[in-house]
Amino acid sequence: MTATLEPPDILSPEFARDPYSAYRLLRDEFPLVWHEAMQTYVISRYEDVQRAFKDPVFTSENYAWQLEPVHGRTILQMEGREHSTHRSLVAPAFRGKALQEQFGPTIRRNSRDLVDAFRADGHVDLVDAYATRFPINVIVDMLGLPRTDHDRFHAWYTSIMGFLSNLAGDEAVMAEGLRTKAEFEAYMIPRIRERREHPGDDLLSTLCAAEIDGESMTDEEIKAFCSLLLTAGGETTDKAITSLMADLVAHPEQLDAVRRDRSLIPAAFAETLRWSPPVHMIMRQPSEAVELSGGVVEAGRTVTCLIGAANRDERRFERPEVFDVLRADLDHSRAFSAAADHLAFCLGRHFCVGALLSLFEIEVGMNDLLDAMTDIRFAGGEPPPETGVFTRAPGRLLLEFTPS
């Protein structure tokens, strides 16, 4: 008797060890599957995930229970005019020229300081010494907050990401996230009020002063955006740097190509966002019944979009299981826009507002790392395993190198 094929469980240890094999099975046999424990539909094909990010029938109302308890109400759960207004209030600070001119020195200084601390050693855990620190330090400094608070913000970042990644509902992790929210609010609100009275040239002052048609953000909205920036901006860049370096070291010929031609760094970053994205799943909620591959999703049901699966869909990409910096079916000219081919930053109206910040950080960081290290290799000889389900990257990246 032939055994009945069962869909992979995205909360199982087997899935956590190797989601990519499960992704193939889901795309081919179970493109739409109900996960009872999480009370969500799971979708995995590129065309379905792309539609969930672009079609207005898919709302972000799920963030009311997913994000609001730890961040407060953020731009991610806004729709229509409210969303467009708030996005217009924050977006100018994250556009290319303004970003590089105002915050370029801060970004370069933070990267250089971290690299200088280990460049002579010949070995490093890139996660602990650099990747998980760099974007958080940058955000603290962009906001104009004391550099002595870098470690405090790193601890808050770790706690909030634990809350957001807690798909199994561990009560201790939830409680820690809620304590962090209260601590972050107690820290930020007085500083926001102080910047309203005494503005400077930092991002926090810019957010306080931003106004469109007489509308501006409240203290609570600015605090929530800063909390979101800490995690969304931190996690994406943290895991992207780790995965990008791991991907390149695992493909020495491509690492050599990027070392010789630094203009390939954005292409390498874009391919990492496709092949091993920092965020593997994002949720949406349709406002009316919608038909996808494999069936119909009822109005109001949560849909978990598997970015890690969609980005390796052979229906969309040639040789999707191959890491290729020079991939022809990934348009690098729009890889960091709302029209990107990969799905790592979402698409459409909720495209990541910090995508260009992440790109700039990656360009600065990778140049600094490649300048400091030659003959980069994995300590022990083998690529490290990825960890995580909601977000995913190597938990440690032990490298040996020749200082340069």
Side-chain angles (χ1 to χ4, degrees):
M1 182 179 294
T2 303
T4 303
L5 196 62
E6 294 289 335
D9 178 3
I10 64 175
L11 294 185
S12 68
E14 295 79 13
F15 182 90
R17 282 193 296 270
D18 178 20
Y20 299 105
S21 296
Y23 289 158
R24 286 193 294 273
L25 181 58
L26 285 166
R27 287 193 306 265
D28 291 344
E29 303 294 340
F30 304 99
L32 179 68
V33 62
W34 174 252
H35 193 287
E36 182 66 25
M38 290 176 59
Q39 289 291 292
T40 181
Y41 282 101
V42 178
I43 61 175
S44 50
R45 290 184 181 174
Y46 184 95
E47 65 174 356
D48 292 328
V49 174
Q50 180 189 49
R51 182 181 175 193
F53 289 162
K54 295 178 72 173
D55 191 332
V57 73
F58 287 91
T59 75
S60 56
E61 291 183 9
N62 52 285
Y63 287 140
W65 57 264
Q66 188 182 6
L67 299 186
E68 190 169 344
V70 73
H71 284 312
R73 190 167 184 272
T74 73
I75 189 174
L76 289 182
Q77 63 199 93
M78 298 176 185
E79 298 287 352
R81 183 179 180 278
E82 182 186 30
H83 174 264
S84 61
T85 298
H86 278 75
R87 190 177 180 94
S88 296
L89 287 168
V90 303
F94 297 93
R95 292 187 181 130
K97 186 176 181 181
L99 177 68
Q100 294 190 31
E101 289 181 353
Q102 185 173 3
F103 300 116
T106 294
I107 293 169
R108 294 187 181 94
R109 183 189 68 241
N110 275 288
S111 176
R112 185 173 59 250
D113 288 350
L114 290 168
V115 172
D116 285 348
F118 66 79
R119 67 186 303 154
D121 296 342
H123 59 86
V124 66
D125 176 359
L126 198 69
V127 174
D128 181 63
Y130 186 85
T132 194
R133 302 284 174 179
F134 175 39
I136 304 306
N137 294 357
V138 165
I139 288 167
V140 173
D141 291 0
M142 286 177 65
L143 290 170
L145 300 170
R147 301 196 81 200
T148 52
D149 286 339
H150 282 177
D151 287 345
R152 177 186 293 191
F153 273 78
H154 187 269
W156 285 337
Y157 158 70
T158 303
S159 173
I160 296 173
M161 283 311 308
F163 181 97
L164 297 176
S165 303
N166 184 27
L167 300 179
D170 185 300
E171 292 186 2
V173 173
M174 293 175 66
E176 175 61 26
L178 296 177
R179 282 195 296 271
T180 294
K181 180 192 177 185
E183 289 177 8
F184 188 79
E185 182 170 332
Y187 176 97
M188 287 300 303
I189 293 296
R191 286 161 176 80
I192 292 168
R193 291 172 179 166
E194 190 273 335
R195 294 304 161 83
R196 290 196 189 279
E197 294 293 326
H198 306 286
D201 58 359
D202 51 77
L203 177 60
L204 191 57
S205 298
T206 299
L207 295 173
C208 289
E211 183 176 311
I212 294 178
D213 297 332
E215 292 193 36
S216 58
M217 291 193 289
T218 66
D219 293 354
E220 171 62 28
E221 288 170 339
I222 294 173
K223 183 273 300 179
F225 180 78
C226 291
S227 180
L228 177 65
L229 179 63
L230 179 65
T231 52
E235 185 76 354
T236 299
T237 305
D238 168 2
K239 286 184 163 47
I241 290 172
T242 302
S243 294
L244 174 54
M245 183 61 80
D247 293 343
L248 288 174
V249 175
H251 300 82
E253 74 291 347
Q254 298 192 55
L255 174 59
D256 289 343
V258 173
R259 182 183 294 281
R260 290 192 306 269
D261 181 1
R262 303 299 177 83
S263 70
L264 289 177
I265 290 174
F269 182 26
E271 176 65 346
T272 287
L273 289 172
R274 184 199 69 82
W275 199 66
S276 50
V279 179
H280 273 234
M281 54 183 70
I282 285 179
M283 294 181 179
R284 290 289 185 263
Q285 187 172 310
S287 59
E288 59 188 60
V290 60
E291 185 171 358
L292 298 171
S293 301
V296 174
V297 175
E298 302 89 349
R301 289 289 196 181
T302 301
V303 177
T304 297
C305 307
L306 296 182
I307 295 171
N311 275 347
R312 293 198 184 193
D313 192 342
E314 65 278 4
R315 297 160 189 82
R316 173 60 181 80
F317 296 104
E318 294 285 339
R319 303 187 306 148
E321 302 293 339
V322 174
F323 179 81
D324 182 4
V325 168
L326 300 178
R327 172 173 295 279
D329 53 4
L330 192 62
D331 186 344
H332 302 124
S333 69
R334 59 180 188 174
F336 305 97
S337 75
D341 296 315
H342 67 82
L343 304 174
F345 285 140
C346 293
L347 298 171
R349 66 197 184 281
H350 284 293
F351 176 77
C352 176
V353 72
L356 292 180
L357 170 61
S358 184
L359 173 60
F360 188 43
E361 288 176 324
I362 292 289
E363 289 184 298
V364 168
M366 287 302 296
N367 271 297
D368 286 345
L369 292 168
L370 293 176
D371 286 345
M373 303 187 293
T374 60
D375 188 28
I376 308 171
R377 56 206 178 273
F378 296 119
E382 294 296 324
E386 293 181 345
T387 60
V389 175
F390 171 56
T391 60
R392 189 170 180 86
R396 302 180 73 192
L397 183 53
L398 303 178
L399 300 175
E400 296 174 347
F401 60 92
T402 302
S404 59

